């Protein structure tokens, strides 16, 4: 039996893995998590995908329980600022496109152009973000009348692959508070926590990990080792020498500088979205939590020095940044060639990372853990199981890379060397051909990256229409069809959005109320 699991690393990846494995297998496996008190976690990673909901549901955790403890807020999508031109913004929301007479509303939009704001014309959520609304009424009821919630009974134990609806929001949360919350959860369910440095990883004669050596607690043996040591890849890359496949030729941003900025939310309100503001050598994220903002400049070291980046970020934030300590981070962009080697599985940054645009780090962790459970080696090791796992993880990360490259290639902005170079840089295999296709038919399931990577055609469409750098034409057939139903749908979306903006509470008042509850 492969029943002793040893996790090295106590960041988001380590504790998500420990809690999920205990929630899944209970006492049928043992879980020991070793983390160093001297090596800090990355300390960022606070915006998520809408599918993260399945993770919390799987653990049986209610929003009203964990959100206040983790200073969490709702995220209805991403607001992109200045990617087309200064002062321009658009949203990539968690909302699928409606379909009218067999054509997605985005294609009808290209044909009819009801206004200059495609996002407001085709998505309700764009208006909710502009008006800083909560997706839930004060009673807790979700705004989406169509979305059928299962009464008061949460739907536990759904996984990513089973997602058949687009849930309208994700979360922002404080990464260290969440790690602490999950640590408590996992330990209450029997996970063993060892705070110590791993000083050696010992291999047996086959080259598999036989045990790790810690400074004070000595040797820890296990059957399956999970590497959650972040960019170091202590087990997978260092001990097992698995090569790293870099994405840097297609995605050049390799550094970040971050700040945690306390904010009086009663005055500023809380935007229900992450903001990604294009800058001279990358972009700045703004993640509103309850009581502070997480912000950081992601940039390419070839175009900007760390000092310039920090000063740009401080200027962007304003006086609230004075006296705050900046966290400079070097990012390893790409993935381990295989995430699972022998008896070691890398989860989190050790497995791979593609810069935080579109907030995919935690999504990769969730996908990895779910796949680990599906491929878990109960009786014996089977190379085919590992191959299947590795193929899925590699494809998922490669697909996300392609989606992110589209952001830079598709942005109309080309006002300096950084943004001009983005238009001529190498493209991942297949993307050039897809870009050609999308100019006459917007992305659909047939024409996007063909393997699961978390993004649907509507996401690609949102980006192409918002970024504005690639010429797009409506299908000529629309000129031969009656457009009345589509025009009515645009009208209905506008009416629905105005009504919701009037009735929903602001995100600030929703959470102020929740935090005030006894
Ligand atoms: P880490 O947080 O680096 O944790 C590593 C752990 O390993 C630590 O506990 C450390 O003590 C331990 N360790 C290391 N060496 C040893 C040793 N020798 N012995 C014992 N323990 C050891 N993801 C998102 O989903 N959304 C975002 O908005 C987002 N933004 C990001 C912004 C930036 C700039 C970066 C770099 C990443 C971002 N991510 C984001 C990714 C996200 O931060 C990570 O996926 C997530 O935090 C998981 O990190 P980790 O647990 O793999 O590694």
């Amino acid at each position: 039996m492969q029943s002793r699991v040893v996790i090295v690393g106590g960041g988001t990846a380590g504790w998500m893995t420990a809690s999920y494995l205990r929630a899944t297998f209970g006492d049928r496996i043992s879980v020991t998590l070793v983390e160093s008190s001297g090596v800090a976690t990355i300390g960022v990673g606070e915006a998520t995908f809408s599918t993260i909901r399945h993770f919390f549901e799987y653990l049986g955790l209610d929003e009203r329980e964990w959100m206040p403890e983790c200073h969490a807020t709702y995220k209805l999508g991403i607001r992109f600022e200045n990617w087309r031109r200064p002062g321009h913004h658009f949203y990539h929301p968690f909302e699928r496109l409606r379909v009218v007479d067999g054509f997605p509303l985005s294609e009808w939009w290209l044909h009819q152009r009801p206004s200059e704001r495609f996002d407001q014309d085709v998505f309700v959520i764009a208006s909710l973000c502009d008006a800083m609304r909560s997706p839930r009424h004060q009673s807790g009821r979700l705004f989406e009348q169509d979305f059928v919630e299962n009464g008061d009974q949460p739907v536990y134990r759904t996984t990513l692959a089973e997602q058949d609806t687009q849930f309208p929001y994700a979360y922002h949360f404080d990464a260290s508070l969440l790690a602490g919350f999950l640590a408590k959860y996992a330990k209450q369910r029997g996970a063993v926590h060892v705070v110590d440095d791993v000083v050696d990883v010992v291999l047996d004669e086959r080259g598999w990990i036989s045990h790790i050596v810690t400074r004070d607690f000595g040797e820890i043996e296990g059957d399956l080792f999970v590497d959650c040591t972040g960019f170091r890849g202590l087990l997978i890359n260092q001990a097992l020498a698995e090569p790293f496949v870099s994405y840097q030729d297609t995605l050049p941003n390799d550094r970040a500088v971050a700040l945690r900025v306390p904010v009086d939310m009663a005055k500023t309100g809380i935007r229900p979205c992450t903001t990604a503001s294009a800058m001279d050598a990358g972009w700045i994220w703004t993640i509103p939590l309850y009581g502070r903002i997480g912000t950081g400049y992601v940039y390419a070291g070839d175009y900007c020095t760390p000092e310039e980046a920090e000063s740009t970020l401080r200027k962007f934030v304003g006086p609230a940044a004075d006296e705050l300590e900046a966290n400079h981070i070097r990012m390893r962009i790409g993935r381990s060639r295989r995430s699972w080697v022998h008896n070691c599985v890398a989860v989190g940054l050790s497995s791979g990372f593609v810069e935080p645009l579109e907030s995919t780090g935690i999504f990769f962790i969730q996908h990895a853990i779910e796949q680990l459970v599906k491929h878990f080696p109960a009786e014996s090791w089977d190379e085919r199981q590992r191959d299947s796992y590795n193929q899925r993880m590699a494809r998922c990360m490669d697909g996300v890379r392609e989606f992110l490259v589209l952001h830079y290639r598709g942005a109309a902005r080309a006002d300096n060397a950084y943004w001009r170079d983005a238009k001529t840089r190498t493209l991942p295999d297949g993307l050039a051909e897809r870009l050609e296709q999308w100019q006459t038919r917007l992305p659909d399931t047939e024409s996007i990256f063909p393997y699961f990577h978390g993004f649907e055609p509507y996401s690609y469409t949102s980006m192409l229409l918002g970024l504005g750098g690639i010429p797009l034409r409506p299908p000529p057939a629309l000129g031969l069809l009656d457009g009345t139903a589509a025009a009515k749908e645009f009208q209905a979306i506008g009416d629905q959005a105005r009504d919701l903006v009037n009735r929903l509470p602001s995100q600030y008042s929703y959470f102020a109320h929740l935090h005030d509850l006894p």
Side-chain angles (χ1 to χ4, degrees):
M1 287 286 279
Q2 322 304 329
S3 60
R4 293 170 305 167
V5 176
V6 176
I7 300 170
V8 184
T12 308
W15 285 115
M16 279 180 73
T17 308
S19 8
Y20 200 91
L21 290 182
R22 287 300 294 188
T24 304
F25 297 122
D27 286 339
R28 290 176 288 279
I29 63 164
S30 71
V31 172
T32 304
L33 184 145
V34 188
E35 70 172 313
S36 161
S37 57
V39 184
T41 61
I42 195 93
V44 283
E46 309 195 311
T48 56
F49 251 48
S50 61
T51 45
I52 188 72
R53 179 177 75 101
H54 300 303
F55 177 81
F56 290 104
E57 281 179 353
Y58 192 91
L59 300 191
L61 291 170
D62 190 288
E63 273 185 15
R64 281 158 298 191
E65 185 187 342
W66 71 266
M67 285 189 82
E69 279 204 45
C70 301
H71 299 179
T73 60
Y74 292 131
K75 168 183 172 185
L76 293 165
I78 303 178
R79 175 183 165 104
F80 286 86
E81 290 182 345
N82 310 338
W83 288 71
R84 184 188 283 237
R85 59 173 184 275
H88 178 265
H89 80 270
F90 69 95
Y91 294 96
H92 168 200
F94 295 117
E95 183 173 343
R96 285 190 181 146
L97 286 159
R98 301 181 190 188
V99 177
V100 175
D101 290 336
F103 289 83
L105 208 51
S106 47
E107 292 189 325
W108 282 109
W109 186 88
L110 279 175
H111 179 65
Q112 295 189 355
R113 297 228 176 224
S115 84
E116 280 312 299
R117 285 283 304 271
F118 94 91
D119 54 349
Q120 267 188 352
D121 290 338
V122 305
F123 299 119
V124 168
I125 284 182
S127 301
L128 302 190
C129 287
D130 272 344
M132 306 209 331
R133 288 299 184 259
S134 156
R136 289 192 183 271
H137 294 274
Q138 215 64 270
S139 64
R141 191 166 53 84
L142 191 63
F143 80 89
E144 249 200 13
Q145 302 297 320
D146 311 341
F147 182 81
V148 184
E149 280 191 304
N150 194 9
D152 284 337
Q153 292 294 313
V155 188
Y156 292 151
R157 306 200 151 231
T158 328
T159 63
L160 284 174
E162 291 148 21
Q163 149 123 349
D164 55 2
T165 53
Q166 174 58 73
F167 195 70
Y169 65 75
Y171 305 111
H172 301 126
F173 47 64
D174 180 301
S176 6
L177 293 178
L178 183 77
F181 186 90
L182 292 178
K184 203 165 66 185
Y185 176 99
K187 287 194 277 183
Q188 277 166 354
R189 282 157 186 77
V192 176
H193 186 197
V194 176
V195 181
D196 202 350
D197 292 329
V198 173
V199 289
D200 199 8
V201 179
V202 179
L203 308 185
D204 65 16
E205 63 289 351
R206 297 169 302 163
W208 295 41
I209 299 177
S210 80
H211 59 275
I212 55 174
V213 182
T214 59
R215 197 181 303 282
D216 298 327
F217 284 80
E219 296 180 0
I220 300 179
E221 291 190 343
D223 301 307
L224 181 73
F225 291 83
V226 186
D227 184 343
C228 295
T229 60
F231 287 133
R232 289 161 207 85
L234 186 68
L235 279 58
I236 192 95
N237 306 118
Q238 293 187 33
L240 294 175
E242 184 62 11
F244 184 75
V245 179
S246 172
Y247 291 159
Q248 192 103 27
D249 57 335
T250 53
L251 288 172
N253 293 348
D254 56 354
R255 288 168 181 268
V257 51
L259 288 170
R260 297 168 152 234
V261 188
V263 173
D264 180 356
M265 300 273 166
K267 288 205 182 110
T268 59
I270 308 177
R271 260 193 212 289
C273 56
T274 304
T275 301
S277 310
M279 305 301 288
D280 283 349
W283 60 281
I284 287 180
W285 79 79
T286 305
I287 297 179
L289 309 179
Y290 191 76
R292 82 162 161 88
I293 275 178
T295 184
Y297 187 7
V298 176
Y299 62 98
D302 284 348
Y303 295 81
C304 176
T305 65
E307 295 72 29
E308 284 166 345
E310 183 174 333
S311 133
T312 303
L313 179 64
R314 288 186 183 280
K315 214 153 96 198
F316 182 86
V317 172
D322 295 349
E323 318 294 327
L324 297 177
E325 200 185 331
N327 175 14
H328 285 268
I329 300 166
R330 289 189 80 121
M331 303 186 300
R332 187 176 75 152
I333 301 300
R335 60 173 169 83
S336 290
R337 187 182 59 185
R338 291 172 300 172
S339 291
W340 188 336
V341 178
H342 306 323
N343 58 342
C344 171
V345 186
V347 175
L349 298 172
S350 54
S351 160
F353 181 60
V354 284
E355 78 157 85
L357 192 60
E358 296 287 349
S359 329
T360 51
I362 294 164
F363 159 71
F364 287 152
I365 296 172
Q366 185 183 356
H367 187 45
I369 301 170
E370 289 188 5
Q371 290 302 319
L372 175 58
V373 164
K374 289 182 201 298
H375 294 84
F376 204 81
E379 296 300 329
S380 59
W381 301 98
D382 186 334
E383 194 61 40
R384 291 167 302 183
Q385 289 271 62
R386 278 191 293 258
D387 290 348
S388 162
Y389 177 92
N390 285 329
Q391 190 177 55
R392 282 158 205 252
M393 288 313 300
R395 282 173 172 170
C396 180
M397 290 185 263
D398 290 351
V400 170
R401 171 189 44 178
E402 194 173 299
F403 183 49
L404 295 199
V405 171
L406 168 67
H407 290 52
Y408 296 95
R409 179 59 70 110
R413 184 170 180 166
D415 55 330
N416 67 8
Y418 176 87
W419 288 97
R420 278 192 298 276
D421 290 351
K423 312 295 179 286
T424 52
R425 195 166 282 122
T426 319
L427 292 176
D429 287 349
L431 182 57
E433 193 188 326
R434 286 195 253 281
L435 281 167
E436 277 298 317
Q437 281 184 14
W438 295 336
Q439 293 185 32
T440 57
R441 267 317 307 273
L442 287 175
D444 59 20
T445 45
E446 292 290 314
S447 64
I448 64 168
F449 187 81
Y451 304 105
F452 176 75
H453 60 293
F455 291 100
E456 299 183 20
Y458 84 79
S459 292
Y460 286 79
T461 296
S462 302
M463 294 316 299
L464 283 169
L465 285 168
L467 293 165
I470 292 176
L472 303 167
R473 290 181 44 217
L478 292 187
L480 302 171
L481 295 180
D482 176 1
T484 314
K488 270 198 187 142
E489 199 58 43
F490 289 127
Q491 185 66 41
I493 287 173
D495 291 346
Q496 195 185 355
R498 273 185 293 279
D499 175 52
L500 287 167
V501 166
N502 284 334
R503 287 191 296 112
L504 285 164
S506 73
Q507 156 127 280
Y508 171 73
S509 52
Y510 179 84
F511 280 107
H513 177 71
L514 193 65
H515 280 256
D516 280 348
L517 291 178

